[in-house]
Amino acid sequence: MKLRTLGLAAAAMAAFAANSVLCRAALGRELVDAASFTTIRVASGALALALLVRARGTGSPAPRDLRASAALFAYALGFSLAYTRIPAALGALLLFGAVQVTMVGRGLAGGERPRPAEWGGLALSAAGLVALTFPAARGGGELAGSLLMLGAGVAWGVYSLLGRTSRGDPLAANAIRFAWAAPMALLASVALAPAAPPRVTFAGALLAVASGALASGLGYALWYAALRGMTATRAALVQLSVPPLAALGGVALLGEEVSLRLGLSAAAILGGIALAVAGGKR
């Protein structure tokens, strides 16, 4: 891998991991409510992506895809609601595992026939997810947050699958989807206001903008640039760095603790995905 590609990939993975840390920093400390955070994040992401597309001035126009926008909105809202209840490291692992299981499950439904190594990797990852989630049943808050994050992961997996078949420039396509997801998030904020009154501090809004414009918008731009110099298998393996980076950020910046259960589950989830990717050679 060339040095430029390596640098772009490292910056993109750091940005994606930062999403978990920024979101947890804002919501765990109650600096902003989940619905408002989602609205600000998606809207600022849409603006950042639009500016990047305009500055670049190349690429074919992307069609509107309301299904993808709805999946993006569902992911973003579930992501925010989950991080009112669970730490950054746990959330990143659950999200990542759910995304991969969703995409593999769609392949199975479509007639793909995994190799033995892929089956083994999928089983190992699923076992890690169960081990990570099941003990949370003892505490309602952590269980609810875990289930919300699993739902967010499924939504992101659907969003990724829809993106595979979309036409036009990928960056422009994401800009369009973020733009249509923003009013969905705003409507959700209005609908949830009677049950959860909006609460936005300056620090909370700033963290939401950083999550949307930098960790999401700029992160995608860096990732698409890195993908030009990577194989699909290498790209999948590089993404395994996101949960550990999120865990490190949670420990260093938020004072979170990494339990033995989390460490063992992380090894199972990430090891299983690595085994499946390497075994499939895709």
Side-chain angles (χ1 to χ4, degrees):
M1 190 186 303
K2 294 182 179 179
L3 185 60
R4 178 179 180 275
T5 299
L6 181 62
L8 288 169
M13 295 307 99
F16 293 157
N19 255 329
S20 292
V21 178
L22 292 168
C23 190
R24 179 59 182 169
L27 295 168
R29 297 169 180 172
E30 299 184 349
L31 300 176
V32 61
D33 65 285
S36 297
F37 183 94
T38 302
T39 301
I40 298 171
R41 178 191 176 192
V42 174
S44 58
L47 178 60
L49 285 166
L51 292 173
L52 288 169
V53 171
R54 183 171 183 178
R56 192 180 56 178
T58 58
S60 55
R64 181 181 63 184
D65 188 345
L66 292 181
R67 295 179 306 163
S69 296
L72 173 63
F73 156 70
Y75 146 75
L77 183 60
F79 187 88
S80 298
L81 290 170
Y83 272 134
T84 63
R85 298 168 172 84
I86 58 176
L90 175 60
L93 275 170
L94 289 171
L95 178 75
F96 194 80
V99 169
Q100 300 302 321
V101 170
T102 299
M103 297 183 73
V104 171
R106 177 62 183 86
L108 293 175
E112 291 184 10
R113 293 295 175 263
R115 300 177 182 182
E118 292 178 278
W119 278 118
L122 179 60
L124 185 59
S125 293
L129 283 175
V130 171
L132 198 58
T133 308
F134 183 72
R138 299 174 185 172
E142 185 174 323
L143 176 61
S146 297
L147 293 177
L148 282 165
M149 190 59 82
L150 289 174
V154 171
W156 186 257
V158 171
Y159 181 76
S160 301
L161 289 167
L162 291 171
R164 283 181 170 182
T165 58
S166 66
R167 298 179 180 179
D169 175 60
L171 196 63
N174 273 285
I176 293 294
R177 292 166 191 158
F178 266 75
W180 281 97
M184 297 179 189
L186 182 59
L187 288 174
S189 293
V190 174
L192 293 172
R199 180 184 63 260
V200 182
T201 66
F202 177 76
L206 196 61
L207 288 168
V209 170
S211 175
L214 300 178
S216 296
L218 182 58
Y220 290 137
L222 292 169
W223 182 234
Y224 292 133
L227 284 175
R228 299 190 187 110
M230 304 169 65
T231 64
T233 298
R234 185 168 290 174
L237 291 174
V238 164
Q239 292 180 76
L240 294 178
S241 64
V242 173
L245 287 173
L248 288 174
V251 170
L253 302 175
L254 305 178
E256 297 179 354
E257 296 181 359
V258 178
S259 66
L260 178 61
R261 175 170 66 94
L262 181 66
L264 294 176
S265 299
I269 294 170
L270 301 180
I273 294 171
L275 179 62
V277 170
K281 296 181 179 179
R282 292 175 185 157

